[in-house]
Amino acid sequence: MNKLIKQTKTIAITQLGFFSLVVLFFWIKTYAVYQIEFNLGIENFIQQFLLFINPVGSAIFFFAFALLFKGRRKIKALLGINFFLSFILYANVVYYRFFNDFITVPVLTQSDNFGQLGGSAMALIQPYDLLYFLDFFVALAIVLWKKVELPTMTRRSVTGVFLAGILVFTANLALAEMDRPQLLTRTFDRNYLVKYLGAYNYTVYDIIQSSKSSAQRALADSNDVAEIENYAKSTYAKPNDQYFGKAKGMNVIYISLESLQTFALDYKLHGEEVTPFLNSLTKDKDTMYFDNVFHQTAQGKTSDAEFMLENSLFPLPQGSVFTTKANNTYQANSAILGQEGYTNAVFHGNGKSFWNRDEMYKSLGVDKFYDSAYYNMSEEQTLNYGLKDKPFFKESMPYLQELKQPFTAKFLTLSNHFPYPLDEEDQTIKPHTTGDKSVDGYFQTARYMDESLKQFFKDLKASGLYDNTMIVMYGDHYGISPNHNKAMSKVLGKEINSFENAQLQRVPLFIHMPNMEEKTGAKGGVNHTYGGQVDIRPTVMHLLGMDTKEYLDFGTDLLSEDHQELVPFRNGDFVTPEITQVDGKVYNNETREQLDEEAAKKYEKYDEAVKTKLELSDKLVYGDLLRFHKPEGFEPVDRSKYDYNKREE
């Protein structure tokens, strides 16, 4: 009798088809995740249909590899593949919750960063996340409860399963190309790839692209740089005579304003200004404040902003340049100024290896790197990503005063970082009341950073360095991702859609020059010029009296009359004073309404110009083409000169 029951259980599960059951559950789970966790911008029936079918093609194809095994190993392989693919999906879920983006292979190589994420990563994990592995546990329970026996399949049958998966994928890709031509050849936005092909096929595509990028350097030669040299000459914007060289010989201090978006300036919470000190600088006669500058970072975030500041090149579409291309040849701002007699230093209250800075800075020509080893990293002084901003600036002053002048010094703030925790004794404004913990805390940490900047300016004046120092402060990337649109609608009192999200990518840019009117003949104030982070380097270099004509910059001087007000985003979207393109849709900035197809055609030239900029910049970085470019008077950086392991007392 017991033997008969066991046989019945085995027959029942075999008839149901364990393989088909696993595929079905996995398909349903994946589609549910797409709908719950990702904002993929589904616009029509074809896109919705593709989103629905793409998991089944991936599941059939990848699970088919288990059929190549024999006996019980077939079951183990099926469960193993299920868990592995589920983990890939879940990793993307967690990553997307903050970055509103999908993981790439280069990001996975940045393992040194993961151990330092601390509360940021934990804040992204939810109790219900275990459900995203439910299909795996169900399959495992079936295996443990019943004696599952997958029938021995002929080679032809296994081949048929693989072909079924390939057939579904081919049909998927054909429909995707109909709705989005050149999907795989001219797509900068990973959102499109996941929407049309699915998370698993996107991962395969990403692996292939990463392999191709690694091969580009080996195949590149001096002929490849000619196209980029010609492009740089054609887009060069000559300096404005009123400002060119007016800061010549001055020290330069760059301050990265962590996660600060322009909407936070002049914002009042509970009747108080969130950033009173920065607000005062927008009205200061010695400060130029640019209110239409947008961040252009990708997966490298703060490191991407540094990369643009130094090189006027776009960050890569996958991973961080700091991590994947640290050994490339660069003609960075630090190296150029270093060869003009400047001392270069970076101050950062975190470990030197975070974002691979200790390697990348050698290629940029940074002389001194003051990392966490130089600071008091006690529990009272650290929070979240490292040293709090107030002790960071305080403890940096003695090192700054020791630098040989003229110098450039970059300060990387940390306190205003997701998930925006702040010790009670440091809170000088009450949180917002949206109910979204991250958004509510953002205003408190922004206030804390503002107070630390005010104190730093005071200390700089007391040190005697202030009068001969130009201070450049820039927001590095967004602080509030599109995943918090509901809360941001309460903050700003309006619906936050795709167009409004693009407008929120503005980050503040301040250029503070003591006695500006005396030097330039013009007072500071608010400058409404549209620009991006790639434009900061040529703007500062021209103020210092160094023409960028010999260098391959993809940005142009914000103060130049020839500056083109076209701001590309890394995903191929862009903004101009007139229009904004988001996800292929064109909006009128004034009316905030989407243009019809006929009216949008007028601006297709901008779309082509943006794609050209991004493609040429990528070609330069992937191919390491600056090793073939020889600006007059510039000597290639010798990485062996730099050693940040030696702690200077």
Side-chain angles (χ1 to χ4, degrees):
M1 185 67 178
N2 289 338
K3 183 178 180 181
L4 180 61
I5 292 173
K6 289 180 180 179
Q7 286 178 342
T8 303
K9 287 183 178 181
T10 301
I11 291 171
I13 196 63
T14 301
Q15 288 176 341
L16 182 60
F18 187 65
F19 179 87
S20 301
L21 193 66
V22 171
V23 169
L24 178 64
F25 285 172
F26 189 79
W27 178 9
I28 294 171
K29 184 267 296 287
T30 302
Y31 182 67
V33 170
Y34 288 166
Q35 297 290 349
I36 295 168
E37 294 287 359
F38 303 143
N39 180 20
L40 298 173
I42 303 300
E43 300 170 1
N44 54 46
F45 174 77
I46 290 179
Q47 292 178 9
Q48 188 64 257
F49 178 70
L50 289 173
L51 195 68
F52 179 69
I53 69 165
N54 71 54
V56 72
S58 301
I60 292 172
F61 181 80
F62 291 119
F63 289 154
F65 283 97
L67 302 179
L68 299 174
F69 292 85
K70 294 180 180 180
R72 299 293 293 175
R73 286 184 296 173
K74 192 179 297 184
I75 302 296
K76 293 178 181 178
L78 195 59
L79 291 173
I81 293 170
N82 182 301
F83 184 83
F84 178 70
L85 293 178
S86 297
F87 181 79
I88 289 176
L89 181 65
Y90 179 63
N92 275 296
V93 166
V94 175
Y95 191 80
Y96 193 91
R97 284 173 180 167
F98 177 66
F99 294 106
N100 205 52
D101 199 356
F102 298 93
I103 292 176
T104 64
V105 172
V107 165
L108 295 175
T109 66
Q110 296 156 197
S111 57
D112 285 350
N113 289 1
F114 298 154
Q116 302 181 51
L117 294 180
S120 296
M122 293 305 299
L124 299 171
I125 297 174
Q126 301 297 329
Y128 60 79
D129 289 350
L130 196 63
L131 293 175
Y132 294 148
F133 293 87
L134 181 61
D135 62 315
F136 168 78
F137 291 118
V138 169
L140 180 62
I142 291 173
V143 170
L144 296 176
W145 182 54
K146 297 188 177 185
K147 185 181 178 183
V148 177
E149 292 289 351
L150 289 183
T152 301
M153 299 181 68
T154 64
R155 184 176 298 178
R156 180 178 295 181
S157 298
V158 174
T159 302
V161 176
F162 275 111
L163 288 176
I166 293 171
L167 181 63
V168 174
F169 171 75
T170 303
N172 185 342
L173 183 59
L175 284 173
E177 282 288 338
M178 288 172 55
D179 196 63
R180 176 76 176 180
Q182 297 181 300
L183 175 67
L184 298 181
T185 55
R186 300 202 74 184
T187 293
F188 296 104
D189 192 343
R190 282 174 287 278
N191 226 45
Y192 280 115
L193 294 170
V194 174
K195 175 167 64 176
Y196 285 108
L197 302 181
Y200 313 108
N201 292 327
Y202 152 73
T203 301
V204 174
Y205 170 85
D206 178 58
I207 292 171
I208 294 171
Q209 290 299 104
S210 296
S211 300
K212 285 170 61 178
S213 73
S214 299
Q216 286 183 38
R217 187 186 189 281
L219 299 174
D221 60 36
S222 58
N223 294 323
D224 293 318
V225 79
E227 179 185 10
I228 300 171
E229 289 174 336
N230 292 333
Y231 178 81
K233 288 177 182 177
S234 69
T235 57
Y236 167 75
K238 64 180 181 180
N240 185 327
D241 290 337
Q242 184 177 10
Y243 294 96
F244 185 74
K246 303 306 181 183
K248 188 175 179 64
M250 295 184 74
N251 303 315
V252 184
I253 291 177
Y254 298 96
I255 302 177
S256 172
L257 305 175
E258 173 63 49
S259 301
L260 189 65
Q261 293 170 249
T262 301
F263 78 83
L265 274 72
D266 287 324
Y267 188 86
K268 286 191 175 182
L269 179 61
H270 311 306
E272 299 180 53
E273 291 180 302
V274 175
T275 58
F277 176 67
L278 290 177
N279 292 348
S280 70
L281 289 182
T282 66
K283 308 171 185 68
D284 186 88
K285 63 182 178 61
D286 290 334
T287 305
M288 289 182 280
Y289 168 57
F290 296 83
D291 64 348
N292 284 318
V293 166
F294 294 76
H295 87 85
Q296 297 166 296
T297 62
Q299 291 185 321
K301 293 299 183 280
T302 303
S303 70
D304 280 352
E306 284 189 78
F307 180 71
M308 287 183 277
L309 187 82
E310 287 279 3
N311 299 285
S312 192
L313 299 171
F314 290 102
L316 293 177
Q318 299 166 292
S320 164
V321 186
F322 270 45
T323 301
T324 62
K325 301 295 177 184
N327 292 319
N328 273 16
T329 297
Y330 297 105
Q331 292 154 9
N333 184 57
S334 290
I336 295 169
L337 291 174
Q339 294 181 23
E340 294 292 329
Y342 275 74
T343 304
N344 303 292
V346 177
F347 298 81
H348 183 42
N350 200 331
K352 63 178 180 291
S353 64
F354 198 59
W355 285 121
N356 201 36
R357 287 187 171 97
D358 55 339
E359 291 300 321
M360 185 63 172
Y361 286 168
K362 296 175 184 178
S363 296
L364 300 180
V366 174
D367 298 315
K368 300 177 184 294
F369 182 16
Y370 299 90
D371 72 319
S372 57
Y374 290 80
Y375 298 98
N376 173 12
M377 302 295 288
S378 64
E379 186 176 347
E380 294 76 18
Q381 294 208 141
T382 56
L383 186 67
N384 206 13
Y385 269 65
L387 192 63
K388 295 179 185 179
D389 291 346
K390 289 183 180 179
F392 170 59
F393 281 118
K394 272 289 184 186
E395 293 184 27
S396 296
M397 280 306 302
Y399 301 125
L400 186 67
Q401 290 176 270
E402 291 172 1
L403 292 179
K404 181 183 176 183
Q405 300 187 55
F407 60 73
T408 67
K410 187 187 340 173
F411 291 85
L412 303 170
T413 63
L414 290 171
S415 295
N416 190 42
H417 197 292
F418 179 86
Y420 310 109
L422 191 64
D423 292 331
E424 188 174 350
E425 63 267 21
D426 294 321
Q427 298 173 12
T428 57
I429 190 171
K430 293 181 180 179
H432 214 299
T433 56
T434 69
D436 184 318
K437 186 176 180 181
S438 295
V439 173
D440 294 348
Y442 177 82
F443 296 91
Q444 293 182 301
T445 52
R447 163 66 75 84
Y448 178 80
M449 178 172 63
D450 184 77
E451 292 170 345
S452 72
L453 293 168
K454 181 178 180 180
Q455 184 60 53
F456 179 64
F457 268 65
K458 288 182 179 178
D459 291 343
L460 203 59
K461 291 176 181 178
S463 73
L465 294 172
Y466 175 82
D467 289 334
N468 192 41
T469 300
M470 178 169 61
I471 304 171
V472 180
M473 297 187 289
Y474 64 97
D476 59 352
H477 54 77
Y478 66 75
I480 307 297
S481 78
N483 296 318
H484 301 275
N485 280 353
K486 184 178 179 181
M488 284 303 296
S489 295
K490 295 179 181 179
V491 168
L492 300 176
K494 60 182 176 182
E495 181 186 357
I496 306 299
N497 53 24
S498 296
F499 171 80
E500 296 295 347
N501 263 321
Q503 308 312 308
L504 283 173
Q505 303 316 304
R506 286 176 170 84
V507 291
L509 172 63
F510 297 86
I511 299 179
H512 180 80
M513 186 192 307
N515 304 312
M516 180 178 289
E517 186 175 9
E518 180 183 325
K519 291 182 172 74
T520 67
K523 292 182 180 179
V526 181
N527 187 312
H528 301 303
T529 300
Y530 274 62
Q533 290 165 323
V534 291
D535 300 317
I536 298 176
R537 161 170 144 153
T539 304
V540 173
M541 294 289 278
H542 287 174
L543 283 167
L544 294 173
M546 299 178 192
D547 201 331
T548 58
K549 193 171 185 177
E550 290 287 320
Y551 298 95
L552 302 185
D553 286 7
F554 280 80
T556 55
D557 185 349
L558 291 165
L559 299 170
S560 170
E561 295 178 1
D562 298 329
H563 171 70
Q564 185 184 18
E565 296 184 277
L566 171 64
V567 188
F569 296 125
R570 181 58 263 193
N571 64 359
D573 291 336
F574 61 87
V575 62
T576 77
E578 297 175 78
I579 58 108
T580 297
Q581 178 172 298
V582 185
D583 297 334
K585 299 174 184 176
V586 180
Y587 297 84
N588 181 293
N589 289 348
E590 185 175 350
T591 66
R592 308 180 107 73
E593 297 292 330
Q594 183 182 345
L595 300 182
D596 59 42
E597 191 173 336
E598 189 63 31
K601 285 183 179 179
K602 175 183 175 183
Y603 302 102
E604 287 180 352
K605 60 182 180 180
Y606 292 141
D607 186 61
E608 288 302 312
V610 165
K611 285 181 169 61
T612 298
K613 282 178 179 286
L614 294 172
E615 287 173 353
L616 289 179
S617 180
D618 289 348
K619 181 179 179 181
L620 185 150
V621 177
Y622 282 132
D624 192 12
L625 298 183
L626 285 175
R627 58 193 159 128
F628 304 120
H629 180 64
K630 311 294 183 184
E632 185 178 351
F634 179 80
E635 293 295 325
V637 173
D638 180 2
R639 286 174 48 87
S640 66
K641 289 172 50 180
Y642 306 99
D643 183 1
Y644 308 126
N645 292 317
K646 294 180 179 179
R647 166 75 158 83
E648 296 182 20
E649 299 298 339

